[in-house]
DNA sequence: GCAAAAGTGTTACAATTACACCCATGT
DNA sequence: ACATGGGTGTAATTGTAACACTTTTGC
């Protein structure tokens, strides 16, 4: 068999901080679309798994190490790359604010965070990939606790609430939300408070992975 | 760039008839795993889209034309094919009983239906792919009306009910189920009855795609 | 003492569940 | 007339949604 299809991976990485969701993009160094913005990614090496390829490319191009990674979709339109046939397996990644802050401060010209409502236009079919990723994030947050992957290990309840209102694009009743989340019993309340300058300091919470997986095994599912 | 990864597609096709779900498998004609059962599929040609490749392979290997097709997942473990690096984009397909019956009757040795609780062991990582597909089918049926793709255009309500009890693996209250489905207002009751030999003849229903897509646009989602 | 964010309960309403008998046909 | 599968309503329970005031801190 003769086949000249190339295989690449791309990663849409989301970060969250104080009410805004951002995506990590890179400025292309090579043709085609040199100088334009694109989702980080690249060709898969013969010996490595797809996940390894994503992680390698992310590190090479943006210096980042990802906290959460899942496969999104494989884009295989024959014309998606103008030069040759390239099929791309797109991934969906999340990072915690601590990582976000480090990266945001290194004023690298090649990699940059963009708020998801201030996106530049992208090369290839990357607009399309990004759209899929955003819609996946929005819907997934309602039935799996991936939101916690966008927050630090310890967080005040209001951060979680703000994240949800941001992603869902509508206000949430604070009391009902808190009741519902706490009733799942997957958060541990810590003996620690955080103050944000003004106002009453908030208790910190921690997501309890063990308890969540135990619930999941029993078939009890997260739902907002 | 030098890359020697090959790209294939595989399709897990489900069919349903009178209380059992079946999967279409083929007996391999070539090495490796010659003579063993596998999911239909093959290499993607340079010029064709992934969906075209799936449809072509399905037709070549099983003679089938699919009623519903969606991408499942891309399997890229470097060792999944013992001979060389092959990444496979797996698809998930559904056919209606009319198609099912035609195929089931042609006693082709190469392609055969297997009930999902009487599966043979499969070559490559196809057990794994099949597992993913089954779990996708089971969960997807609860939030999207793909069940209708497993029934004929006209069907008695009891067929739908039986399909759900089969897939969910538990009994459903007939009255509640009917109430819920009918309240979605996506079924048209026809002026036609069907008799299954004994018992009261059943009214036939038809899934109304237009009405469903209209609902979906408004953000109202299917849920069982 | 006031501005700012955190924390907390109750009631009305909607959705889900449980449950059993009659109906239309074939033999 | 009986066996077989189809069709139907109501009440109890549970879950969801709406809603406003008090508490703790910084300035």
């Amino acid at each position: 068999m003769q086949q000249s299809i190339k295989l690449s991976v791309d990663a849409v990485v989301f970060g969250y901080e104080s009410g805004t969701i951002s995506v990590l993009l890179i400025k292309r160094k090579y043709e085609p679309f040199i100088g334009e913005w694109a989702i980080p990614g690249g060709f898969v090496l013969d010996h490595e798994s797809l996940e390894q390829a994503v992680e390698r490319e992310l590190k090479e191009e943006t210096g980042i190490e990802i906290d959460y990674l899942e496969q999104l979709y494989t884009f295989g339109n024959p014309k998606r790359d103008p030069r040759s046939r390239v099929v791309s397996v797109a991934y969906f990644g999340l990072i915690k604010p601590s990582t976000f802050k480090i990266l945001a401060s290194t004023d690298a010209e090649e990699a940059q965070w963009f708020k998801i409502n201030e996106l530049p236009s992208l090369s290839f079919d990357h607009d399309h990939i990004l759209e899929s990723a955003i819609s996946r994030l929005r819907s997934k947050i309602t039935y799996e606790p991936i939101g916690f992957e966008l927050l630090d290990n310890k967080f005040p309840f209001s951060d979680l609430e703000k994240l949800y209102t941001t992603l869902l694009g509508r206000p949430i009743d604070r009391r009902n939300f808190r009741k519902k989340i706490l009733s799942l019993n997957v958060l541990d309340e810590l003996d620690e408070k955080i103050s944000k300058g003004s106002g009453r300091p908030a208790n910190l919470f921690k997501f309890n992975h063990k308890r969540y997986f135990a619930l999941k095994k029993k078939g009890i599912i997260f739902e907002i």
Side-chain angles (χ1 to χ4, degrees), chain A:
Chain A
M1 197 235 15
Q2 193 72 338
Q3 195 190 48
S4 65
I5 299 176
K6 284 179 205 148
L7 189 70
S8 70
V9 288
D10 287 300
V12 180
V13 177
F14 293 103
Y16 172 76
E17 214 209 359
S18 49
T20 49
I21 309 276
S22 302
V23 180
L24 187 57
L25 299 177
I26 57 151
K27 200 179 258 175
R28 288 186 56 81
K29 284 189 209 155
Y30 311 105
E31 286 295 351
F33 303 116
I34 193 164
E36 292 187 37
W37 293 103
I39 296 167
F43 292 106
V44 179
L45 301 179
D46 287 346
H47 55 83
E48 71 187 348
S49 73
L50 302 175
E51 288 75 16
Q52 280 165 354
V54 175
E55 283 166 14
R56 179 182 49 73
E57 289 286 351
L58 273 176
K59 206 159 189 184
E60 284 174 17
E61 297 186 331
T62 71
I64 215 172
E65 286 202 37
I66 206 81
D67 292 314
Y68 175 88
L69 189 70
E70 74 172 40
Q71 194 180 297
L72 176 62
Y73 195 79
T74 298
F75 295 85
N77 186 315
K79 304 239 164 93
R80 58 179 295 283
D81 190 309
R83 298 202 297 188
S84 70
R85 181 79 193 273
V86 180
V87 170
S88 176
V89 185
Y91 279 76
F92 169 100
L94 304 175
I95 57 145
K96 294 181 184 290
S98 40
T99 318
F100 181 94
K101 281 170 213 151
I102 292 164
L103 245 109
S105 62
T106 70
D107 55 4
E109 268 192 23
E110 325 79 48
Q112 212 177 290
W113 288 100
F114 287 85
K115 297 180 181 172
I116 56 166
N117 40 18
E118 300 173 10
L119 291 171
S121 82
L122 303 180
S123 40
F124 302 102
D125 56 351
H126 286 188
D127 299 294
H128 183 206
I129 297 178
L130 192 40
E131 245 176 66
S132 310
I134 291 171
S135 108
R136 172 91 136 237
L137 176 60
R138 276 196 223 283
S139 71
K140 189 143 193 170
I141 201 157
T142 67
Y143 63 87
E144 285 199 22
I146 55 167
F148 300 107
E149 301 297 336
L150 284 167
L151 299 177
D152 280 316
N153 289 327
K154 298 171 181 184
F155 56 88
F157 214 92
S158 58
D159 273 18
L160 187 64
E161 189 196 325
K162 214 179 291 166
L163 172 59
Y164 272 83
T165 54
T166 304
L167 274 173
L168 301 178
R170 58 179 162 85
I172 294 178
D173 182 282
R174 189 149 32 110
R175 283 174 284 193
N176 292 340
F177 181 72
R178 194 182 175 105
K179 233 182 295 170
K180 199 160 185 177
I181 298 281
L182 290 181
S183 76
L184 294 169
N185 202 31
V186 293
L187 290 190
D188 292 332
E189 188 163 6
L190 305 175
D191 259 348
E192 219 173 317
K193 290 182 195 299
I194 195 177
S195 165
K196 292 194 178 168
S198 78
R200 176 174 175 174
N203 268 321
L204 289 177
F205 288 83
K206 198 171 178 172
F207 180 64
N208 189 316
H209 290 79
K210 263 189 207 162
R211 209 126 18 89
Y212 171 68
F213 286 115
L215 274 185
K216 203 177 171 185
K217 254 188 187 161
K218 282 186 197 156
I220 289 133
I221 40 144
F222 191 89
E223 196 179 325
I224 295 298

